[in-house]
Amino acid sequence: RLATSARELPALYLAVVMASGLALIINAAALAIDRGQRVAWLTAGLVIVVSLVLALLLAVTAPFRGGFIADGEPIDVVRSGLEDFVP
């Protein structure tokens, strides 16, 4: 996972996924016009699911961006605690 964290999601792949999600939402909304409240709720659910999938896609492909800093002190504390138990 650390070796692949340097790689980014290709821009074309992201654009295709976003365009297909948008097309799916537009088609569902077009079919939901004048169909009733039940179909409107299904369309709203579809919008939420597509949004969450896109957010998850971006989060999974770039998990180590930002101000993430690893410190070795907690591991040293655990090791010294284990050394105290072992005679």
Side-chain angles (χ1 to χ4, degrees), residues 1-9 58-66 68:
R1 183 157 171 111
L2 289 174
T4 61
S5 68
R7 298 182 186 155
E8 292 184 10
L9 188 67
L58 291 175
V60 167
T61 56
F64 297 110
R65 286 190 194 164
F68 181 79

Side-chain angles (χ1 to χ4, degrees), residues 30-56:
L31 292 174
I33 294 175
D34 295 331
R35 296 287 180 175
Q37 188 176 6
R38 183 186 224 178
V39 178
W41 280 109
L42 289 172
T43 304
L46 182 66
V47 169
I48 291 170
V49 168
V50 168
S51 301
L52 289 175
V53 166
L54 290 175
L56 180 66

Side-chain angles (χ1 to χ4, degrees), residues 3-33:
T4 61
S5 68
R7 298 182 186 155
E8 292 184 10
L9 188 67
L12 180 62
Y13 178 72
L14 182 61
V16 168
V17 170
M18 291 180 78
S20 63
L22 185 62
L24 179 66
I25 291 170
I26 290 171
N27 284 330
L31 292 174
I33 294 175

